[in-house]
Amino acid sequence: ANVFVYVLRMGVLDWGPKFLTADRGMNINGAAWSVAVFELTAIIGTIFAGWASDHIFKGKSHRMCLFSMIGACLFLAIFALVPGLPTVVSTLVLAMSGFCIYGPQALYGVCASQQATKYAAGTGNGIIGIFGYASSVVSGVMFGAMAETGGWDSVFPVAIAFGIASGVTPTVGLIT
């Protein structure tokens, strides 16, 4: 799950400015600000996800991750399928995807700790972290190659599929 969420996060960070300038016609300053707003709303989303995991989902972080990734996929779909959005709206939609993406990134370590024994919680969290950071290679190389060969329209369905996989993977068998 952490691999998939990191592919989304790093895909936006690595390729967002290039996509926004090449495909959406933004100047580099506007594209940089759009990605910065993505990051700023991510901070708020991370705090909200932790709070909601504790207070709404009663400590069941897997459920919060599922709902967050549903939101991330919806916002990325809007971003991809409505290319004529005004710059401000486009930035807001991208920012809302960041709000949704970063919560699960923070909570997957919590999920691992909740599933492991108290003696293996740190190891589980470390393994999740390794896989998350290793996925940066996937987003950098794969999305770049896809954009070059199939255009940007080929990237978004795969990114959304990664988002779905990120939400579903930790929740299989744990939703009940």
Side-chain angles (χ1 to χ4, degrees):
N2 206 33
V3 168
F4 300 134
V5 76
Y6 260 87
V7 167
L8 289 181
R9 175 190 170 207
M10 298 311 293
V12 172
L13 293 178
D14 291 344
W15 294 106
K18 177 69 174 168
F19 169 77
L20 291 169
T21 55
D23 195 70
R24 297 290 167 96
M26 281 189 189
N27 63 38
I28 191 64
N29 287 336
W33 276 107
S34 291
V35 174
V37 171
F38 169 85
E39 288 282 293
L40 292 173
T41 56
I43 295 167
I44 298 165
T46 301
I47 294 167
F48 174 77
W51 177 88
S53 176
D54 291 340
H55 293 90
I56 296 172
F57 295 103
K58 308 296 184 219
K60 294 188 177 14
S61 300
H62 300 81
R63 293 179 183 178
M64 185 63 215
C65 292
L66 174 64
F67 287 106
S68 292
M69 293 314 299
I70 289 170
C73 290
L74 289 174
F75 285 114
L76 286 173
I78 292 167
F79 187 77
L81 297 174
V82 188
L85 291 173
T87 301
V88 172
V89 176
S90 186
T91 300
L92 182 62
V93 171
L94 184 63
M96 290 309 299
S97 73
F99 179 91
C100 295
I101 288 170
Y102 276 62
Q105 176 193 323
L107 288 176
Y108 284 143
V110 174
C111 294
S113 297
Q114 290 171 339
Q115 288 180 253
T117 67
K118 67 180 180 178
Y119 301 107
T123 302
N125 199 1
I127 291 169
I128 283 177
I130 289 168
F131 279 102
Y133 283 112
S135 70
S136 298
V137 174
V138 174
S139 66
V141 173
M142 183 179 72
F143 286 167
M146 289 176 68
E148 190 166 300
T149 59
W152 288 106
D153 290 340
S154 68
V155 173
F156 284 102
V158 174
I160 292 168
F162 273 89
I164 292 167
S166 180
V168 172
T169 302
T171 58
V172 173
L174 296 172
I175 289 293
T176 58

